[in-house]
Amino acid sequence: MLTCALLSPMAMAAQEIPRTPPRMAEANETPAAPSTASSSATLPTRSGRDIYAQFRAGLADPECPANGGSARWRQHFANAPKRMATDGDDVLPLFGYVVDAVREAHLPTEYALIPFVESGYRPGARSAGGPAGLWQFIALTARNHDVAVRPGYDGRLSPVDSTRAAVRYLKTLHGMFAGDWRLAVMAYNAGEYRVLGALRRSGQNARNAKPETLQGLSPITHAYVQKLRALSCLLESADDREEWLRALDRPIPLLQARALPHGAKTLEAWARDQGLDAARVRRMNPAFEGGRIIARNDDDALRVLAPAATAEIAATGSAVGATAAGP
């Protein structure tokens, strides 16, 4: 049993989802020489439309209410479908990685919407109160869920480390609350013991609960379910538009947690050696301060989120693998 709740930093209203800023070339920048190790042309991709289909197939509640969910939160997150349709925005490959992790854990894909609420799907997001990363962990939560935070490396900003921890915790909550994703996300936001207490005060249990009637929980916690439902309904509304579906139907890099060799010094050098876009690799892995890979005293390899190597997919049979969604 976990001894702490994965406290959400979103005790305040969620921030509007920003677009991933484009990389600006620096003056006098010299293009990197092509690597002989691999070529981006041979790296595996999948259609963004397939990612969306996997998300829809994994929903616990695929049907939207007649009103499409909360008008307030639909308006708040209105740019989420646009971001997914925008080529060059990191959100769709990251979303695909999290959808894969959630589905490998046999969890509803409503959980893959949580990073939209928490961070706008920005791995480097930081909040004033201290939470950081896709899932917005505070430092105490990170330590309690084995996410390393040390000089030069903040695992909360690692999509690999933070997603692994978040999915493990969500799997615990999902079992604790009888497979009711609504109760699980309320517990994710407020802490499991608060939700258990609210069930007792309301004379309910996890199997017969009406989450919207639970007493003693904050409006923010009640709104968490509304936010995820609104996001799901926004995407369902968007897929009625052929233009949006066509925009999704583009090759999206298949992301994977890849082990860095112990001799690696910088993300840029490693990425170039792998024939990858060094700017994208660094942007998706802000856990490494300044892109530097600090030497470690243990034998555990650090992992970086990057386009999967074809050979690795053949060996593991998955682009996510146990590194992202282990039990």
Side-chain angles (χ1 to χ4, degrees):
M1 176 180 292
L2 296 176
T3 57
C4 75
L6 187 59
L7 299 178
S8 169
M10 305 306 286
M12 300 179 289
Q15 300 298 312
E16 182 180 357
I17 302 173
R19 186 184 185 280
T20 303
R23 178 184 182 275
M24 301 300 292
E26 298 180 5
N28 302 319
E29 183 177 7
T30 302
S35 170
T36 58
S38 63
S39 167
S40 59
T42 64
L43 293 172
T45 63
R46 55 181 164 175
S47 169
R49 195 162 176 170
D50 291 338
I51 294 172
Y52 177 67
Q54 287 296 307
F55 165 72
R56 294 297 310 174
L59 289 170
D61 291 322
E63 299 298 324
C64 286
N67 63 2
S70 165
R72 173 187 178 186
W73 297 118
R74 281 172 62 89
Q75 181 177 4
H76 190 85
F77 295 113
N79 65 334
K82 181 179 178 181
R83 285 191 63 198
M84 291 177 67
T86 301
D87 194 13
D89 195 307
D90 293 334
V91 68
L92 193 51
L94 287 168
F95 182 66
Y97 177 75
V98 175
V99 167
D100 288 345
V102 168
R103 297 213 69 183
E104 280 206 359
H106 306 290
L107 295 173
T109 48
E110 278 89 351
Y111 298 141
L113 298 171
I114 290 175
F116 272 123
V117 174
E118 294 289 353
S119 66
Y121 258 101
R122 291 176 297 144
R126 290 185 180 273
S127 296
L134 279 183
W135 302 86
Q136 289 287 279
F137 290 178
I138 60 173
L140 176 62
T141 297
R143 287 195 297 270
N144 286 332
H145 290 275
D146 299 321
V147 175
V149 179
R150 57 176 178 264
Y153 185 82
D154 187 339
R156 298 174 301 166
L157 304 179
S158 163
V160 174
D161 293 355
S162 63
T163 298
R164 180 180 61 238
V167 170
R168 283 176 173 171
Y169 183 58
L170 286 165
K171 191 163 188 174
T172 297
L173 294 176
H174 193 73
M176 182 182 295
F177 292 102
D180 190 320
W181 72 269
R182 302 165 301 171
L183 293 175
V185 299
M186 293 171 83
Y188 182 92
N189 177 259
E192 61 263 39
Y193 297 112
R194 289 180 182 172
V195 176
L196 289 170
L199 285 168
R200 286 194 297 270
R201 286 189 296 273
S202 303
Q204 302 179 34
N205 61 54
R207 295 190 181 279
N208 66 12
K210 296 180 179 179
E212 67 277 6
T213 68
L214 293 183
Q215 302 171 14
L217 295 174
S218 73
I220 297 296
T221 298
H222 281 288
Y224 213 94
V225 174
Q226 298 172 20
K227 292 173 184 178
L228 297 186
R229 179 64 61 80
L231 275 161
S232 181
C233 291
L234 272 171
L235 297 181
E236 183 191 53
S237 297
D239 74 21
D240 290 336
R241 303 195 302 270
E242 187 61 32
E243 180 183 1
W244 187 73
L245 290 175
R246 283 199 303 268
L248 291 191
D249 198 11
R250 64 186 193 271
I252 301 299
L254 188 62
L255 300 181
Q256 184 179 46
R258 298 177 60 176
L260 291 170
H262 280 277
K265 300 298 183 183
T266 69
L267 289 180
E268 287 89 344
W270 176 84
R272 287 196 298 269
D273 185 59
Q274 299 297 312
L276 301 175
D277 181 339
R280 168 171 269 186
V281 169
R282 181 168 172 179
R283 188 170 67 238
M284 286 189 175
N285 295 275
F288 299 86
E289 186 176 354
R292 296 182 296 275
I293 302 169
I294 305 300
R296 305 171 302 286
N297 296 324
D298 53 59
D299 293 329
D300 293 333
L302 288 170
R303 295 187 179 272
V304 62
L305 188 65
T310 305
E312 291 182 45
I313 290 181
T316 64
S318 169
V320 179
T323 57

